[in-house]
Amino acid sequence: MQIGSWDAIHVIQVGPEEEGAAHYCLNSTVMLSLTTDNKQSGTFNLSGSIRRQMSMTLAVADGHLVNMGKMIEEMEGKLRNSLDQVSASSHFFLSSVIFFYLKRRRIALSAGLFWENQGNGLHS
């Protein structure tokens, strides 16, 4: 991997306090981007996002910031686990794509065609 990034956006809506508790609604989005550069396979960019929502009613004794921080930490853990599951199931798909890409490149080279690594296709 050459470059990778994990960007998260969390938006929390806090409802009015009733009897020492407040209702929290958290909307989270994580954007993941990975870039590899390899002589054999060329440059690959893989990007995606995942979005989840969580609602809780929590006591406000510790304060809103503490409650929101706990919710964000829990949500980031869940999102990380979700992306691990997606990447494990996508590994086979990506391996197939890379195999097809390399096979197509070998066929082009053996046919005397010029291969452009930037995804523009084959040219004679």
Side-chain angles (χ1 to χ4, degrees):
M1 182 173 73
Q2 186 179 17
I3 300 172
S5 66
W6 166 287
D7 292 317
I9 299 170
H10 303 284
V11 178
I12 298 180
Q13 183 178 16
V14 181
E17 292 181 32
E18 292 179 12
E19 299 176 15
H23 183 75
Y24 299 86
C25 184
L26 170 64
N27 290 289
S28 298
T29 303
V30 169
M31 294 154 289
L32 183 67
S33 177
L34 304 169
T35 301
T36 62
D37 193 8
N38 183 310
K39 285 183 181 181
Q40 196 174 23
S41 62
T43 301
F44 281 89
N45 295 313
L46 176 64
S47 300
S49 65
I50 189 168
R51 185 179 324 183
R52 295 287 183 265
Q53 183 177 16
M54 171 193 295
S55 293
M56 295 178 132
T57 300
L58 301 169
V60 294
D62 292 331
H64 291 299
L65 288 178
V66 171
N67 290 340
M68 292 187 287
K70 288 178 183 177
M71 286 181 72
I72 290 171
E73 285 178 354
E74 183 179 337
M75 179 63 82
E76 288 240 355
K78 288 180 179 183
L79 290 168
R80 206 170 18 257
N81 289 337
S82 294
L83 288 170
D84 284 344
Q85 291 171 1
V86 168
S87 66
S89 63
S90 298
H91 179 74
F92 176 76
F93 172 75
L94 290 174
S95 297
S96 299
V97 168
I98 291 168
F99 175 78
F100 174 76
Y101 178 85
L102 292 174
K103 183 177 178 183
R104 186 173 152 198
R105 181 174 181 221
R106 278 193 299 271
I107 291 169
L109 292 174
S110 66
L113 298 174
F114 176 74
W115 179 267
E116 287 187 10
N117 257 350
Q118 300 302 317
N120 295 329
L122 301 173
H123 300 280
S124 54

